[in-house]
Amino acid sequence: MILDKFSLKGKVAIVTGSNTGLGQGISKAYVEAGAKVVGVSRRPSDETAAICGSNFYNVIADLSDNSAIPAIIEKTLEKFGNIDILVNNAGVIKRQDSLEFSEENWDSVLNVNLKTVFFLTQAVAKQFIKQGTGGKIINIASMLSYQGGIRVPSYTASKSAIKGLTMTLSNEWAKYGINVNAIAPGYMATNNTEQLRQDGERGADILARIPAGRWGTPGDLQGAAVFLASEAADYVNGFTLAVDGGWLGR
Ligand code: NAP
């Protein structure tokens, strides 16, 4: 039956940035859909664990470099035996005028948002191939995968690259039954956008431009995240799905 194809029963998912915001919402949705979730976060995901219960397991890791990747894979396999889904959600944004933009603000964003995403994805894809099961990879992109943004050059570079990376990995791995897709959230009310929402004029400009007339919430992303992780998306490859209240269509 069609709704069975959306179930994640028996699946094991790794979700990065699970302690808050969109990663917390995705972890909750996956557990509700029947999956076991390994939430990766640099601070404890205690709130997410309390929401999700015993099907959630927290691995503490700083994703600013690749050194944490082997332990993430090992701990997931030790706890739940295999891996079926990876959500590359952890991300950072640094705001500064491009004329002054520092190398630190460039490297810190590119490392978390792109370099670690690539190498964690590579490690998980190798595990999928070893298991012979295929799998689902979901990258969290952005409106700035399509647009330029203002004062966020490293973030825009990283998120535009994520959209391209999603396509290239999909081209190489679809033959293994691995679906690589992305979700581009619109303007969502999380820590990531707190500074923007505090900025009266800019916050009001953004809100006025969203056809849905409101900022998004972590709950708004859950349907797309479950769909792309499920059998219902078996023939969806390399696509970036916007969940944006109509922002891109405007
Ligand atoms: P958020 O609340 O700031 O969450 C970001 C997550 O990434 C947090 O869990 C954060 O951990 C984690 N993280 C950052 N650096 C890390 C590191 N070095 N190692 C491990 N974890 C790290 O923002 P969010 O909105 O939920 O963002 C989730 C994703 O959606 C990001 O990729 C973001 O770029 C993307 N996105 C957000 C929006 C939006 O409007 N909110 C729009 C488009 C795309 P800490 O809590 O410890 O910092």
Side-chain angles (χ1 to χ4, degrees):
M1 298 291 276
I2 183 61
L3 284 182
D4 296 336
K5 292 195 172 194
F6 290 83
S7 168
L8 302 183
K9 196 155 188 270
K11 302 291 183 189
V12 177
I14 297 176
V15 178
T16 67
S18 56
N19 56 305
T20 186
L22 304 181
Q24 181 176 79
I26 293 169
S27 300
K28 179 173 181 279
Y30 282 4
V31 168
E32 284 175 9
K36 298 182 171 76
V37 173
V38 171
V40 179
S41 55
R42 60 180 163 180
R43 294 180 292 128
S45 291
D46 293 346
E47 195 180 271
T48 310
I51 293 168
C52 292
S54 60
N55 282 333
F56 178 86
Y57 178 68
N58 190 200
V59 171
I60 300 292
D62 186 338
L63 300 172
S64 337
D65 63 55
N66 292 337
S67 58
I69 292 172
I72 294 170
I73 306 289
E74 273 162 36
K75 286 178 184 171
T76 304
L77 295 176
E78 230 172 77
K79 180 72 182 169
F80 293 132
N82 60 298
I83 311 172
D84 302 293
I85 300 158
L86 167 67
V87 182
N88 286 306
N89 166 77
V92 278
I93 188 162
K94 300 283 178 186
R95 300 175 197 281
Q96 189 179 15
D97 289 344
S98 291
L99 281 175
E100 316 300 335
F101 208 80
S102 67
E103 191 169 346
E104 202 220 322
N105 280 349
W106 182 268
D107 288 342
S108 60
V109 171
L110 266 295
N111 283 343
V112 177
N113 293 14
L114 187 60
K115 186 173 175 186
T116 304
V117 167
F118 174 72
F119 286 101
L120 177 58
T121 302
Q122 183 190 61
V124 168
K126 283 182 181 172
Q127 179 62 28
F128 288 164
I129 290 166
K130 194 167 151 194
Q131 291 170 187
T133 53
K136 309 284 185 196
I137 292 163
I138 298 153
N139 297 320
I140 301 301
S142 168
M143 293 296 95
L144 302 191
S145 304
Y146 301 89
Q147 302 177 317
I150 299 168
R151 303 180 71 245
V152 285
S154 59
Y155 186 81
T156 303
S158 72
K159 294 299 186 178
S160 298
I162 281 293
K163 182 167 170 286
L165 187 64
T166 298
M167 293 188 283
T168 193
L169 297 181
S170 169
N171 291 340
E172 289 190 50
W173 297 346
K175 65 181 178 220
Y176 300 114
I178 300 174
N179 299 80
V180 188
N181 290 290
I183 299 173
Y187 285 81
M188 320 295 277
T190 66
N191 299 338
N192 174 288
T193 51
E194 177 141 25
Q195 213 177 323
L196 271 185
R197 283 177 292 120
Q198 298 301 339
D199 178 342
E201 197 179 332
R202 195 119 156 70
D205 283 353
I206 288 169
L207 183 59
R209 195 193 176 284
I210 303 172
R214 64 172 177 86
W215 288 70
T217 67
D220 287 317
L221 220 65
Q222 290 177 330
V226 169
F227 165 59
L228 289 176
S230 74
E231 194 191 334
D234 275 357
Y235 203 61
V236 181
N237 298 83
F239 193 69
T240 298
L241 173 60
V243 178
D244 65 352
W247 176 275
L248 281 184
R250 185 148 178 177

